Amino acid sequence: MTVNTKKKVAFYTLGCKLNFSETSTIARNFKDEGFERVDFSKTADIYVINTCSVTENADKRFKTVVKQAQKANADAFIAAVGCYAQLKPQQLADVNGVDLVLGATEKFKITDYLNDLTKNDFGEVHSCDINEADFYVGSYSIGDRTRAFLKVQDGCDYKCTYCTIPLARGISRSDELENVLKNAKEISEKGIKEIVLTGVNIGDYGKGEFGNKKHEHTFLELVQALDKIEGIERLRISSIEPNLLKNETIDVVSKSRAFVPHFHIPLQSGHNDILKLMKRRYMRELYVDRVAKIKEVMPHACIGVDVIVGFPGETEAHFLETYNFLNTLDISYLHVFTYSERDNTEAANFQDVVPNNIRSKRSKMLRGLSAKMRRAFYEKQIETSRSVLFESENKAGYIHGFTGNYVKVKAPWNPELVNTIHQVKLTNIDDDGLVRFEFKNIMA
């Protein structure tokens, strides 16, 4: 396809790290076709919005983002791609200003649909049956100088009763090990210091394409292979299911050259009755084992936890048991999700619906608990030596950074620190909850 080299494209990503990695790949496709990428707030010929369906809020935000694009250029061509575009294509197509909606398999071929950027009277939809989303498209994001999100897996074979992701992304499938390693080398050659492994269910890594359930490689083998790649300073595992995080993987991370001591492990509920209603693949006893194993070999490790409040059937007693259970675990912070009904999920038809005001109250309680947990974790790190990777943004005269075990630090702005790793000693917690430090020696 031939396009005017002056055509400009802008991108907006809603949702998860996986979406960010895929937006980056789609953006590189546009660049290959002669487009110039500009910021979403600037005037562009085409605006691409990568949508999310995990929460109700992400659905609502889509309309706001469309209006933002229209404000920047009322005549621009607006395309919606991603999870919400797969689940509710017509709903997106009906939003005023939207010209093109592409589902799960079509989004990576978006430039094929752009022979004419004339505004449409109605949104044009190209969305496959989700059963056809059985092939893998690799991607990684390199928008941020300090870290990249590297997609290694897509889709999910789990049938959690609250979740739309299998409907939006299809079956579990993975990138080939050789291709993951190639992408990781490409990222490291761009001077990016940290790679975050991402996917829908990354612990399920190794399943092939087209419904082939045979694992060519395991997640453990992926971790071992990535750890050997020179040039990558840091590797971080994003969210991984507790039943798929094996002792062997934890042991490898504990002795690793590059993998940092930071795990994010979804729990969703601390009560086994609710876990069964959710059709999670573990009971809370397994979760206790995972946390204990991590802390046994990496006492300083950071552990983040996903929790859903207000799931149908969650009584006050269930919630308090979850609260107390979380309070007994040696964990570092919570990601709290207020349950919202999603169309075409089992839980949408469950009885004993929790009123919204109760959901909000429980969410607030857990967010308060999370703040206490993070503070306690930070306090334990004071007087320890850690390596810090500094970010690229000047925030009100300060530069921020993260230790390997995910402690957020701050120092007066110094552009020479951007995208460098330094050995520091953590000294005290500032009024804003971030940690101050003293430099020890330059590492990179």
Side-chain angles (χ1 to χ4, degrees):
M1 148 185 166
T2 307
V3 295
N4 183 332
T5 53
K6 292 182 179 176
K7 292 285 185 200
K8 293 178 178 175
V9 61
F11 298 88
Y12 197 102
T13 306
L14 294 160
C16 62
K17 296 182 178 81
L18 182 54
N19 272 5
F20 277 93
S21 75
E22 292 183 342
T23 298
S24 269
T25 295
I26 294 166
R28 288 193 290 277
N29 293 344
F30 270 92
K31 192 178 176 187
D32 292 345
E33 297 285 357
F35 280 81
E36 178 192 343
R37 182 175 183 176
V38 297
D39 189 81
F40 200 82
S41 61
K42 300 285 191 289
T43 302
D45 299 287
I46 176 168
Y47 293 89
V48 180
I49 305 167
N50 194 353
T51 62
C52 169
S53 69
V54 171
T55 65
E56 190 179 12
N57 189 39
D59 296 359
K60 289 174 182 170
R61 280 187 63 200
F62 175 75
K63 288 180 182 174
T64 307
V65 177
V66 170
K67 283 178 184 165
Q68 215 177 310
Q70 289 173 309
K71 192 175 176 185
N73 180 6
D75 299 321
F77 190 92
I78 298 176
V81 303
C83 292
Y84 193 27
Q86 175 65 39
L87 289 174
K88 302 269 184 81
Q90 200 53 55
Q91 202 167 309
L92 292 193
D94 290 341
V95 172
N96 183 41
V98 173
D99 300 290
L100 179 67
V101 179
L102 299 179
T105 63
E106 293 80 11
K107 62 189 171 191
F108 293 107
K109 302 178 283 190
I110 182 171
T111 54
D112 294 348
Y113 295 94
L114 300 179
N115 295 318
D116 179 9
L117 293 184
T118 308
K119 293 290 289 177
N120 293 325
D121 292 334
F122 303 99
E124 188 182 313
V125 173
H126 296 275
S127 181
C128 69
D129 183 306
I130 197 59
N131 294 324
E132 293 170 28
D134 59 0
F135 57 91
Y136 186 84
V137 179
S139 59
Y140 59 84
S141 75
I142 49 170
D144 179 357
R145 280 179 63 187
T146 53
R147 68 179 52 79
F149 300 127
L150 173 57
K151 174 182 167 185
V152 300
Q153 182 274 342
D154 200 352
C156 189
D157 293 338
Y158 287 10
K159 298 291 187 285
C160 300
T161 55
Y162 53 82
C163 187
T164 58
I165 288 175
L167 301 172
R169 285 188 168 269
I171 60 171
S172 178
R173 55 208 187 274
S174 312
D175 206 348
E176 292 176 355
L177 183 59
E178 296 72 23
N179 198 49
V180 174
L181 300 180
K182 177 180 84 68
N183 285 341
K185 284 174 188 162
E186 281 179 20
I187 292 167
S188 69
E189 285 162 6
K190 295 178 191 297
I192 292 166
K193 304 285 191 204
E194 179 173 303
I195 294 176
V196 182
L197 302 185
T198 186
V200 174
N201 188 359
I202 61 173
D204 204 25
Y205 175 81
K207 281 183 181 170
E209 298 184 295
F210 314 113
N212 175 13
K213 299 301 179 206
K214 180 178 179 291
H215 281 68
E216 291 299 319
H217 296 281
T218 63
F219 184 69
L220 173 63
E221 289 168 332
L222 173 70
V223 166
Q224 290 169 323
L226 281 167
D227 199 36
K228 291 173 186 158
I229 293 183
E230 290 182 20
I232 300 175
E233 309 245 3
R234 277 187 178 182
L235 287 154
R236 199 178 292 273
I237 298 168
S238 67
S239 184
I240 183 167
E241 293 286 302
N243 51 303
L244 295 175
L245 178 58
K246 306 297 184 190
N247 283 347
E248 295 82 358
T249 304
I250 295 169
D251 284 330
V252 166
V253 170
S254 73
K255 302 181 182 82
S256 164
R257 175 194 67 81
F259 276 92
V260 294
H262 176 206
F263 295 88
H264 193 92
I265 315 167
L267 170 67
Q268 311 308 16
S269 174
H271 198 290
N272 284 344
D273 289 352
I274 302 298
L275 289 174
K276 286 172 188 169
L277 282 173
M278 292 177 166
K279 288 193 179 171
R280 300 293 286 161
R281 297 197 176 193
Y282 55 86
M283 293 290 102
R284 71 182 211 166
E285 289 74 17
L286 177 97
Y287 203 92
V288 172
D289 286 349
R290 298 300 80 214
V291 171
K293 172 62 182 176
I294 291 167
K295 289 295 184 172
E296 177 195 325
V297 294
M298 291 171 277
H300 58 296
C302 178
I303 302 175
V305 183
D306 287 345
V307 196
I308 296 172
V309 296
F311 190 76
E314 182 188 66
T315 63
E316 192 69 13
H318 288 136
F319 170 72
L320 289 174
E321 192 160 328
T322 291
Y323 186 98
N324 293 329
F325 177 67
L326 289 165
N327 224 350
T328 63
L329 290 173
D330 191 359
I331 54 181
S332 316
Y333 64 90
L334 308 174
H335 277 177
V336 183
F337 297 89
T338 304
Y339 173 75
S340 61
E341 287 76 3
R342 317 306 291 153
D343 288 347
N344 301 315
T345 59
E346 257 190 89
N349 301 313
F350 284 2
Q351 304 299 306
D352 301 320
V353 172
V354 178
N356 285 329
N357 64 322
I358 304 286
R359 298 184 207 185
S360 299
K361 178 187 152 205
R362 291 175 185 173
S363 177
K364 192 174 179 183
M365 281 179 69
L366 284 188
R367 286 199 304 273
L369 179 61
S370 178
K372 289 178 192 166
M373 285 174 165
R374 195 183 294 270
R375 176 84 187 195
F377 177 65
Y378 280 11
E379 284 173 354
K380 282 183 193 169
Q381 306 309 309
I382 300 303
E383 297 299 313
T384 66
S385 294
R386 299 278 172 242
S387 69
V388 171
L389 170 58
F390 287 95
E391 310 277 308
S392 56
E393 204 178 336
N394 182 341
K395 293 188 177 177
Y398 287 93
I399 189 168
H400 294 164
F402 283 94
T403 64
N405 64 340
Y406 215 53
V407 173
K408 192 172 185 179
V409 304
K410 65 184 281 195
W413 172 254
N414 178 353
E416 291 178 16
L417 291 175
V418 170
N419 197 36
T420 61
I421 295 178
H422 292 261
Q423 193 74 13
V424 307
K425 179 185 172 187
L426 304 180
T427 56
N428 62 287
I429 301 174
D430 214 345
D431 292 343
D432 59 4
L434 304 188
V435 177
R436 297 286 199 151
F437 59 88
E438 296 168 356
F439 285 105
K440 296 192 74 173
N441 64 301
I442 294 174
M443 287 186 61

